[in-house]
Amino acid sequence: MRRKVMAMVMAAMTMAAAMAVPAMADEESVTIGISQFAEHGSLDNCREGFLEGLKEAGYEEGKNLTIEYQNAQADTGNAATIADSFVNKKVDLICAIATPSAMSAYNSAMDADIPVIYTAVSDPAGAGLVNEDGTNVGNITGTSDKLPVTEQMALIRELMPDAKKIGILYTTSEANSVSTIQEYKDHAEEYGFEIVDTGINTIADVEMAAKDLASKVDCISNLTDNTVVSALQTVLAAANDAKIPVFGSEVEQVKNGCVAAVGIDYVALGKQTGEMAAKVLKGEATAAETPFEICEGGNVYVNTEAAGNIDFTISDDVLGEAAEIYETITVE
């Protein structure tokens, strides 16, 4: 009888312990839905940095963090569907990588008690994510990858003293691209340039548009336009045929074949975003009351193989100020 009682006590204690562990894990763990608009280096780096920033703040995947990751494959319809699914799953927070995903996440989570933290959004105001006074439109905040436009034009002028026309290919539905092109045009006269822009609707339009644009300009300056970046090799092929350089907007584009860029560090941008998200998850801040942040400044990156392929000369001065010099083209 005593053995039977002891067995029952031990069984009860084991059951209580088993029930206690999941309850504690559920209380401490969080689930984040990551919606990434397209698959390319800069956005991948953002996601990597975001997870690093969370880990440094105490949220580690597989321990107290569950990640639901979805990629929209540069389709705004997919981005909306992904955002809706995260809201339906009642995730604790949505991380939206790139402008279309951020806009979709905001629209989907507008009436839900789910904070949205975005990253790689060049113009939050132009995307309708902040009000005219700079305050957030709702329970949403994040980081901006606003491009150092004037620094980029200064670099192009230094390397191409006789150039007159800069070509820019962009997606007409991407608010970040539209506003960045306007900034190029606002400052073009200061550097003696004319901006020639060509709009596309889908990735299928890139090849023809790139060939046409390359025939009209002295160089191409590539933005962080998600559709165009997804087809960067097509743009580079058209430019190489025309023997004109393509200037990128961040390090991954230079690795992949652009001759040079003044660009930001997207891993660092992602870490900055992860730190913001951690504060919201811990209750130290709310997304609604946290101002969006801008990743300031940019580094010079150079690819000597890309320059050599079109017999383009990169001056010793620019090589001397470059944060990184890549001697080969790497396409992943």
Side-chain angles (χ1 to χ4, degrees):
M1 183 69 179
R2 183 178 177 183
R3 289 181 180 178
K4 185 175 181 181
V5 171
M6 288 295 295
M8 291 174 65
V9 169
M10 291 298 294
M13 289 175 64
T14 302
M15 183 178 296
M19 293 175 65
V21 171
M24 186 177 296
D26 288 343
E27 183 180 357
E28 295 179 354
S29 65
V30 296
T31 298
I32 296 178
I34 298 181
S35 173
Q36 182 172 317
F37 185 63
E39 190 171 348
H40 58 73
S42 58
L43 301 189
D44 292 341
N45 285 348
C46 263
R47 188 177 77 250
E48 175 189 334
F50 178 72
L51 294 175
E52 286 181 16
L54 285 169
K55 185 175 181 180
E56 289 181 4
Y59 291 100
E60 185 174 356
E61 194 172 4
K63 292 186 177 179
N64 60 349
L65 172 64
T66 299
I67 295 294
E68 297 274 351
Y69 169 68
Q70 296 288 333
N71 193 301
Q73 302 299 327
D75 186 304
T76 53
N78 289 343
T81 300
I82 291 167
D84 286 343
S85 72
F86 287 158
V87 171
N88 290 335
K89 290 179 180 178
K90 297 181 180 180
V91 297
D92 296 294
L93 182 144
I94 296 174
C95 172
I97 305 177
T99 301
S101 288
M103 295 169 70
S104 294
Y106 167 65
N107 290 330
S108 296
M110 188 183 302
D111 297 322
D113 188 25
I114 300 175
V116 176
I117 309 292
Y118 57 77
T119 188
V121 174
S122 300
D123 183 10
L129 303 178
V130 296
N131 298 306
E132 291 184 4
D133 61 359
T135 58
N136 299 322
V137 294
N139 197 24
I140 180 170
T141 190
T143 57
S144 169
D145 62 343
K146 184 180 183 299
L147 298 183
V149 169
T150 56
E151 292 90 336
Q152 177 88 327
M153 285 195 284
L155 175 67
I156 296 172
R157 177 51 73 207
E158 183 175 356
L159 291 174
M160 303 184 73
D162 299 323
K164 296 180 180 178
K165 296 181 179 181
I166 297 176
I168 301 178
L169 190 64
Y170 74 104
T171 308
T172 56
S173 60
E174 289 207 24
N176 56 308
S177 297
V178 174
S179 61
T180 303
I181 287 174
Q182 186 58 53
E183 187 174 0
Y184 265 92
K185 291 180 177 180
D186 290 343
H187 294 281
E189 189 175 345
E190 300 170 24
Y191 297 89
F193 289 123
E194 175 188 347
I195 305 301
V196 180
D197 57 279
T198 298
I200 61 166
N201 295 314
T202 69
I203 199 168
D205 303 329
V206 172
E207 183 174 10
M208 184 178 297
K211 288 180 178 179
D212 181 64
L213 183 63
S215 69
K216 298 175 179 178
V217 298
D218 299 298
C219 67
I220 292 175
S221 189
N222 205 56
L223 309 181
T224 50
D225 184 292
N226 295 287
T227 303
V228 177
V229 173
S230 296
L232 179 59
Q233 294 307 311
T234 302
V235 176
L236 290 169
N240 286 345
D241 287 344
K243 294 295 182 182
I244 65 169
V246 177
F247 294 89
S249 53
E250 46 84 29
V251 63
E252 295 300 329
Q253 293 179 25
V254 176
K255 290 180 182 178
N256 291 341
C258 292
V259 298
V262 179
I264 65 174
D265 183 337
Y266 275 84
V267 174
L269 182 71
K271 287 185 69 174
Q272 187 176 344
T273 314
E275 292 166 2
M276 295 176 73
K279 289 179 180 179
V280 172
L281 290 169
K282 291 177 180 179
E284 297 174 0
T286 65
E289 297 177 351
T290 302
F292 78 89
E293 300 176 2
I294 298 174
C295 188
E296 300 287 352
N299 295 318
V300 174
Y301 303 101
V302 170
N303 190 310
T304 54
E305 182 181 5
N309 286 343
I310 57 171
D311 299 320
F312 184 78
T313 301
I314 299 176
S315 68
D316 290 338
D317 287 344
V318 171
L319 290 172
E321 67 177 300
E324 294 286 349
I325 299 173
Y326 299 97
E327 298 179 347
T328 59
I329 296 172
T330 304
V331 181
E332 296 181 354

